[in-house]
Amino acid sequence: MRVLIAGLGNMGRSHALAYHVHPDAEIVGLVNRSEVAVPESLDAYPMHRDFHDALRETQPELVVVATYTDTHADYAIAAMEAGAHVFVEKPLAMTAEDAARVTRTARQKKRKLGVGYILRHHPSWQRLIAEARDLGGPYVFRLNLNQQSDGPTWETHKALMETTSPIVDCGVHYVDVMCQITDARPLRVHGIGLRLSDEIPPEMYNYGQFQVVFEDGSVGWYEAGWGPMMSETAFFVKDVVSPKGAVSITDGNTGASDDIDGHTRVGGLLVHRPDGDRLIALPDEPGHQALCDAEQAWMIHAIKNDINLDRHMQDAEQSLRICLAADESIRTGNPILLGGTP
């Protein structure tokens, strides 16, 4: 399968490395608008500066879009209109309307569209979801991911915040976890946030938090902050509480909030019930690159075996819609109704 990878930041490089070793993939080109260092194993692949030129010249069967969020929708649609399937990094798009354009194009063109929800490929996170569902709802979700970033990572975060807030960029993963557990419609969202640095655009915030209410009575909060001022105390809270007990990740707060492997690491789960606790050890978890390998293997499998990805696309749209509503609430100071009876 001929693969074109656009965007060679952290995720794009990892996806390229995944296709470099996949037996059913042939990388036909890499795209990055500026000069960028790549791992030695990727040096031999043709490098392009313009996405549309690369798309026309390489004629790929699969395009990976790992660029900044403001290009996701247009690049994904252009690729599908050129006849390619698409894997796009999260978040799917900048707006709910753009996300709908992308999924509508995938259905009209009969192209596979995968979205980068890497936790869906992590066995420990899927175990957390299964244990929480076994308790039964309604649920209280307590989830956050704050990053004390400095140096190159802070520069990356500042670049991301030219277009995308921490709430939207990171939140779609964890809202997706909430939605998988409760499987209920979201009703309303209320958010708060604060600009804690003069180094980011005046209209942007680098700390945000929101609450979401679901139709089954479940409630949740999510918190995300980026920057050198962020605390590493309780930066990685992952709790799900129900009337019958709770499930919690035990190994999250390692004091290295900027470590990308730590963002997916579970280590173990503590399942609490009133009659006693159960500790589930989860050794030998996949690291970041192994997860990217699994994610791209899933994408190729879906294409080769004509797997229906409609539910996957719907879930990606829903989690993005919740995070975009939270972003709007933070900016306007008003709660946002998402549908149904509040």
PDB file of all heavy atoms in Angstrom, residues 188-204:
ATOM      1  N   ARG A 188     -24.699  18.812  28.270  1.00  0.00           N
ATOM      2  CA  ARG A 188     -24.206  20.180  28.393  1.00  0.00           C
ATOM      3  C   ARG A 188     -22.779  20.187  28.936  1.00  0.00           C
ATOM      4  O   ARG A 188     -22.338  19.222  29.568  1.00  0.00           O
ATOM      5  CB  ARG A 188     -25.118  21.037  29.275  1.00  0.00           C
ATOM      6  CG  ARG A 188     -25.115  20.687  30.740  1.00  0.00           C
ATOM      7  CD  ARG A 188     -26.045  21.636  31.523  1.00  0.00           C
ATOM      8  NE  ARG A 188     -25.977  21.384  32.945  1.00  0.00           N
ATOM      9  CZ  ARG A 188     -26.722  20.495  33.583  1.00  0.00           C
ATOM     10  NH1 ARG A 188     -27.605  19.774  32.908  1.00  0.00           N
ATOM     11  NH2 ARG A 188     -26.593  20.331  34.880  1.00  0.00           N
ATOM     12  N   VAL A 189     -22.100  21.295  28.664  1.00  0.00           N
ATOM     13  CA  VAL A 189     -20.702  21.470  29.042  1.00  0.00           C
ATOM     14  C   VAL A 189     -20.530  22.863  29.628  1.00  0.00           C
ATOM     15  O   VAL A 189     -21.137  23.826  29.151  1.00  0.00           O
ATOM     16  CB  VAL A 189     -19.776  21.315  27.807  1.00  0.00           C
ATOM     17  CG1 VAL A 189     -18.330  21.601  28.178  1.00  0.00           C
ATOM     18  CG2 VAL A 189     -19.890  19.927  27.211  1.00  0.00           C
ATOM     19  N   HIS A 190     -19.713  22.958  30.679  1.00  0.00           N
ATOM     20  CA  HIS A 190     -19.353  24.259  31.240  1.00  0.00           C
ATOM     21  C   HIS A 190     -17.862  24.272  31.523  1.00  0.00           C
ATOM     22  O   HIS A 190     -17.341  23.351  32.153  1.00  0.00           O
ATOM     23  CB  HIS A 190     -20.126  24.546  32.528  1.00  0.00           C
ATOM     24  CG  HIS A 190     -19.794  25.880  33.112  1.00  0.00           C
ATOM     25  ND1 HIS A 190     -19.155  26.024  34.323  1.00  0.00           N
ATOM     26  CD2 HIS A 190     -19.988  27.133  32.632  1.00  0.00           C
ATOM     27  CE1 HIS A 190     -18.974  27.319  34.570  1.00  0.00           C
ATOM     28  NE2 HIS A 190     -19.466  28.008  33.566  1.00  0.00           N
ATOM     29  N   GLY A 191     -17.167  25.299  31.045  1.00  0.00           N
ATOM     30  CA  GLY A 191     -15.722  25.331  31.195  1.00  0.00           C
ATOM     31  C   GLY A 191     -15.206  26.634  31.771  1.00  0.00           C
ATOM     32  O   GLY A 191     -15.875  27.670  31.738  1.00  0.00           O
ATOM     33  N   ILE A 192     -14.004  26.574  32.331  1.00  0.00           N
ATOM     34  CA  ILE A 192     -13.278  27.744  32.794  1.00  0.00           C
ATOM     35  C   ILE A 192     -11.829  27.610  32.335  1.00  0.00           C
ATOM     36  O   ILE A 192     -11.339  26.502  32.128  1.00  0.00           O
ATOM     37  CB  ILE A 192     -13.314  27.906  34.334  1.00  0.00           C
ATOM     38  CG1 ILE A 192     -12.815  26.627  35.030  1.00  0.00           C
ATOM     39  CG2 ILE A 192     -14.705  28.270  34.822  1.00  0.00           C
ATOM     40  CD1 ILE A 192     -12.673  26.755  36.534  1.00  0.00           C
ATOM     41  N   GLY A 193     -11.154  28.739  32.179  1.00  0.00           N
ATOM     42  CA  GLY A 193      -9.766  28.672  31.752  1.00  0.00           C
ATOM     43  C   GLY A 193      -9.054  29.976  32.034  1.00  0.00           C
ATOM     44  O   GLY A 193      -9.671  30.984  32.397  1.00  0.00           O
ATOM     45  N   LEU A 194      -7.728  29.975  31.846  1.00  0.00           N
ATOM     46  CA  LEU A 194      -6.947  31.166  32.144  1.00  0.00           C
ATOM     47  C   LEU A 194      -5.684  31.186  31.285  1.00  0.00           C
ATOM     48  O   LEU A 194      -5.047  30.149  31.060  1.00  0.00           O
ATOM     49  CB  LEU A 194      -6.558  31.191  33.619  1.00  0.00           C
ATOM     50  CG  LEU A 194      -6.094  32.541  34.189  1.00  0.00           C
ATOM     51  CD1 LEU A 194      -7.212  33.577  34.082  1.00  0.00           C
ATOM     52  CD2 LEU A 194      -5.668  32.376  35.642  1.00  0.00           C
ATOM     53  N   ARG A 195      -5.335  32.380  30.825  1.00  0.00           N
ATOM     54  CA  ARG A 195      -4.079  32.616  30.093  1.00  0.00           C
ATOM     55  C   ARG A 195      -3.000  32.919  31.127  1.00  0.00           C
ATOM     56  O   ARG A 195      -3.034  33.942  31.795  1.00  0.00           O
ATOM     57  CB  ARG A 195      -4.269  33.783  29.127  1.00  0.00           C
ATOM     58  CG  ARG A 195      -3.047  34.134  28.288  1.00  0.00           C
ATOM     59  CD  ARG A 195      -3.444  35.227  27.292  1.00  0.00           C
ATOM     60  NE  ARG A 195      -2.341  35.631  26.432  1.00  0.00           N
ATOM     61  CZ  ARG A 195      -1.591  36.712  26.625  1.00  0.00           C
ATOM     62  NH1 ARG A 195      -1.827  37.504  27.679  1.00  0.00           N
ATOM     63  NH2 ARG A 195      -0.626  37.011  25.778  1.00  0.00           N
ATOM     64  N   LEU A 196      -2.037  32.016  31.249  1.00  0.00           N
ATOM     65  CA  LEU A 196      -1.020  32.124  32.287  1.00  0.00           C
ATOM     66  C   LEU A 196       0.345  32.536  31.726  1.00  0.00           C
ATOM     67  O   LEU A 196       1.346  32.462  32.435  1.00  0.00           O
ATOM     68  CB  LEU A 196      -0.880  30.784  33.011  1.00  0.00           C
ATOM     69  CG  LEU A 196      -2.097  30.317  33.816  1.00  0.00           C
ATOM     70  CD1 LEU A 196      -1.907  28.878  34.276  1.00  0.00           C
ATOM     71  CD2 LEU A 196      -2.342  31.230  35.006  1.00  0.00           C
ATOM     72  N   SER A 197       0.385  32.944  30.468  1.00  0.00           N
ATOM     73  CA  SER A 197       1.653  33.311  29.858  1.00  0.00           C
ATOM     74  C   SER A 197       1.437  34.399  28.812  1.00  0.00           C
ATOM     75  O   SER A 197       0.479  34.325  28.020  1.00  0.00           O
ATOM     76  CB  SER A 197       2.305  32.091  29.199  1.00  0.00           C
ATOM     77  OG  SER A 197       3.438  32.459  28.446  1.00  0.00           O
ATOM     78  N   ASP A 198       2.339  35.374  28.778  1.00  0.00           N
ATOM     79  CA  ASP A 198       2.310  36.399  27.738  1.00  0.00           C
ATOM     80  C   ASP A 198       2.906  35.902  26.430  1.00  0.00           C
ATOM     81  O   ASP A 198       2.900  36.632  25.432  1.00  0.00           O
ATOM     82  CB  ASP A 198       3.090  37.637  28.204  1.00  0.00           C
ATOM     83  CG  ASP A 198       2.407  38.355  29.350  1.00  0.00           C
ATOM     84  OD1 ASP A 198       1.175  38.207  29.479  1.00  0.00           O
ATOM     85  OD2 ASP A 198       3.094  39.049  30.113  1.00  0.00           O
ATOM     86  N   GLU A 199       3.410  34.673  26.420  1.00  0.00           N
ATOM     87  CA  GLU A 199       4.049  34.131  25.221  1.00  0.00           C
ATOM     88  C   GLU A 199       3.059  33.474  24.266  1.00  0.00           C
ATOM     89  O   GLU A 199       3.462  32.974  23.208  1.00  0.00           O
ATOM     90  CB  GLU A 199       5.122  33.119  25.612  1.00  0.00           C
ATOM     91  CG  GLU A 199       6.257  33.694  26.442  1.00  0.00           C
ATOM     92  CD  GLU A 199       7.294  32.637  26.794  1.00  0.00           C
ATOM     93  OE1 GLU A 199       7.784  31.973  25.862  1.00  0.00           O
ATOM     94  OE2 GLU A 199       7.581  32.468  27.993  1.00  0.00           O
ATOM     95  N   ILE A 200       1.776  33.439  24.626  1.00  0.00           N
ATOM     96  CA  ILE A 200       0.775  32.822  23.765  1.00  0.00           C
ATOM     97  C   ILE A 200      -0.183  33.897  23.267  1.00  0.00           C
ATOM     98  O   ILE A 200      -0.228  35.000  23.824  1.00  0.00           O
ATOM     99  CB  ILE A 200       0.016  31.693  24.507  1.00  0.00           C
ATOM    100  CG1 ILE A 200      -0.798  32.248  25.687  1.00  0.00           C
ATOM    101  CG2 ILE A 200       0.992  30.621  24.987  1.00  0.00           C
ATOM    102  CD1 ILE A 200      -1.639  31.204  26.388  1.00  0.00           C
ATOM    103  N   PRO A 201      -0.937  33.623  22.192  1.00  0.00           N
ATOM    104  CA  PRO A 201      -1.832  34.647  21.638  1.00  0.00           C
ATOM    105  C   PRO A 201      -2.793  35.205  22.691  1.00  0.00           C
ATOM    106  O   PRO A 201      -3.212  34.482  23.601  1.00  0.00           O
ATOM    107  CB  PRO A 201      -2.579  33.888  20.542  1.00  0.00           C
ATOM    108  CG  PRO A 201      -1.651  32.790  20.130  1.00  0.00           C
ATOM    109  CD  PRO A 201      -0.944  32.383  21.390  1.00  0.00           C
ATOM    110  N   PRO A 202      -3.157  36.486  22.584  1.00  0.00           N
ATOM    111  CA  PRO A 202      -4.019  37.122  23.597  1.00  0.00           C
ATOM    112  C   PRO A 202      -5.352  36.424  23.800  1.00  0.00           C
ATOM    113  O   PRO A 202      -5.905  36.425  24.902  1.00  0.00           O
ATOM    114  CB  PRO A 202      -4.216  38.537  23.033  1.00  0.00           C
ATOM    115  CG  PRO A 202      -3.052  38.761  22.134  1.00  0.00           C
ATOM    116  CD  PRO A 202      -2.716  37.431  21.547  1.00  0.00           C
ATOM    117  N   GLU A 203      -5.886  35.808  22.748  1.00  0.00           N
ATOM    118  CA  GLU A 203      -7.194  35.166  22.855  1.00  0.00           C
ATOM    119  C   GLU A 203      -7.102  33.707  23.302  1.00  0.00           C
ATOM    120  O   GLU A 203      -8.130  33.037  23.470  1.00  0.00           O
ATOM    121  CB  GLU A 203      -7.919  35.237  21.513  1.00  0.00           C
ATOM    122  CG  GLU A 203      -7.328  34.380  20.402  1.00  0.00           C
ATOM    123  CD  GLU A 203      -6.116  34.990  19.712  1.00  0.00           C
ATOM    124  OE1 GLU A 203      -5.670  36.087  20.133  1.00  0.00           O
ATOM    125  OE2 GLU A 203      -5.616  34.366  18.762  1.00  0.00           O
ATOM    126  N   MET A 204      -5.878  33.196  23.521  1.00  0.00           N
ATOM    127  CA  MET A 204      -5.679  31.792  23.877  1.00  0.00           C
ATOM    128  C   MET A 204      -5.464  31.646  25.378  1.00  0.00           C
ATOM    129  O   MET A 204      -5.042  32.581  26.057  1.00  0.00           O
ATOM    130  CB  MET A 204      -4.476  31.232  23.111  1.00  0.00           C
ATOM    131  CG  MET A 204      -4.183  29.740  23.338  1.00  0.00           C
ATOM    132  SD  MET A 204      -5.576  28.645  22.976  1.00  0.00           S
ATOM    133  CE  MET A 204      -5.588  28.710  21.174  1.00  0.00           C
TER     134      MET A 204
END
